[in-house]
Amino acid sequence: MNKLILSIGVGMVLSATSSANDINQKLSQSTVQDVEGNTYHTVKIGDQVWLAENLISTKFQDGSDVETGFIPKDDEDNLAKYGRLYDWHDVSDARNLCPKGWRVATDDDWKALESAMGMSEEDLNKEGWRGKDQYIGLQLKETQRNGLFKKFDPSLVNKHNFSARPAGVKWNGYYITQGAYTEFWTATSATDKQAIIRTLAYSWWNTHKTEIRRATSSKDYMFSVRCVKVTDN
C-alpha cells in the first residue's frame, strides 16, 4: 500500500514537473511575425512583452519601404545576429516599424522594464549610466563567448532572456563600436534634433558593463530597435 501511494505521489510530481516544463518551454518559444513574415522570439518581463531580438524589418506595417534599416557592416551574416540599424525618422514614423499590435519602445517603456528589473525609482529619470547596484546591464545582455562577464554571477547575465548583443551603430556612413556597445532608440523625442536612447557597454575595460545609460542622441544616427507589445491599458 505504501509503495502504491509512493508511486502515485512520484507520478503526480513528475507529471506536474513535466507540465511546468512544457509551459515554460512554450513561453520561451513564443513568437510574433512582422508584415514581411520575419519571425521574432518574445519575452515577458514584468507586465510587458518585448521582442527578444532586434528588429530586422525593411517595411512599415502598411507595406511601404523603410528608408534606413542597414545591416551592421553590410554583412548578411550579421542580420540574424544583430538585426538592422535605423535612424530615428523611421523609428518615429506613424506607419510603424514593428509588427502589428506592437510599437517601438518609448522612454517610459524602457523605464518600466528597468523598474521591473529592480532599478530604484530615484534612478529611473536620471540621465547617464544607471542601475549599477541592480546589475541592470548584465540582466539585459546575452552571455559573451569571450568570457568578459565570467567574474559576475552567471545567474544575473541575460537573466530575463532579453539577449542584447553589441551591434554597434552607423554614423556618417561608417559602422562603428560593434562589439563594444549597443545603442537602442526609444520612440521618445527630446528636441527637434535629439531623441532619447539606451546604451549598453561590453568592452572588458569599460567600467559601466553592469549598467544601462539613458541619454539623448542625434536623430540621424542609426541604432538598434526593440519593440514592445501594445496593451489595452
Side-chain angles (χ1 to χ4, degrees):
M1 183 63 176
N2 289 338
K3 289 183 178 180
L4 177 60
I5 293 173
L6 178 61
S7 177
I8 293 173
V10 170
M12 290 175 67
V13 169
L14 290 175
S15 177
T17 302
S18 177
S19 297
N21 288 338
D22 289 345
I23 291 170
N24 289 334
Q25 188 174 23
K26 287 178 181 178
L27 286 174
S28 67
Q29 293 177 348
S30 296
T31 59
V32 64
Q33 286 190 334
D34 63 23
V35 69
E36 296 174 85
N38 299 309
T39 300
Y40 305 88
H41 289 89
T42 69
V43 60
K44 189 172 190 286
I45 305 174
D47 295 327
Q48 300 170 301
V49 180
W50 288 73
L51 293 189
E53 305 170 57
N54 291 349
L55 197 66
I56 64 173
S57 179
T58 62
K59 294 184 182 298
F60 293 108
Q61 285 186 8
D62 66 359
S64 57
D65 292 334
V66 171
E67 290 292 324
T68 55
F70 293 94
I71 302 171
K73 296 187 177 180
D74 300 318
D75 183 348
E76 286 290 333
D77 290 340
N78 283 332
L79 180 60
K81 185 176 182 180
Y82 293 127
R84 294 181 182 271
L85 305 174
Y86 305 86
D87 70 16
W88 196 81
H89 308 289
D90 279 337
V91 166
S92 63
D93 196 295
R95 291 173 290 179
N96 199 340
L97 282 170
C98 296
K100 290 184 178 179
W102 295 67
R103 65 168 179 256
V104 176
T106 64
D107 184 42
D108 283 343
D109 288 327
W110 278 94
K111 285 191 282 188
L113 173 67
E114 293 158 347
S115 178
M117 293 189 296
M119 184 179 288
S120 68
E121 192 73 26
E122 180 184 1
D123 284 346
L124 285 177
N125 294 308
K126 288 182 178 178
E127 292 190 356
W129 293 99
R130 305 126 67 239
K132 181 178 181 179
D133 292 341
Q134 301 84 26
Y135 296 93
I136 300 298
L138 284 185
Q139 291 189 49
L140 292 170
K141 294 173 185 174
E142 185 176 68
T143 303
Q144 289 180 281
R145 290 182 181 178
N146 57 14
L148 292 183
F149 300 150
K150 281 185 177 179
K151 68 177 184 178
F152 300 111
D153 182 347
S155 69
L156 292 173
V157 181
N158 205 25
K159 183 176 181 179
H160 307 281
N161 296 314
F162 191 83
S163 301
R165 297 171 176 174
V169 308
K170 188 173 186 179
W171 172 74
N172 201 26
Y174 297 97
Y175 294 101
I176 58 176
T177 69
Q178 183 177 307
Y181 291 95
T182 191
E183 312 270 7
F184 291 105
W185 279 123
T186 79
T188 304
S189 181
T191 68
D192 288 345
K193 295 184 178 180
Q194 302 267 317
I196 300 176
I197 67 170
R198 291 298 190 279
T199 305
L200 296 172
Y202 291 77
S203 298
W204 66 267
W205 47 262
N206 197 299
T207 59
H208 299 292
K209 287 193 294 294
T210 63
E211 301 168 75
I212 184 169
R213 185 177 70 141
R214 179 175 180 257
T216 60
S217 182
S218 169
K219 293 176 178 178
D220 293 327
Y221 274 79
M222 297 181 199
F223 295 158
S224 300
V225 170
R226 287 291 180 106
C227 303
V228 65
K229 190 173 184 180
V230 178
T231 65
D232 294 331
N233 297 335

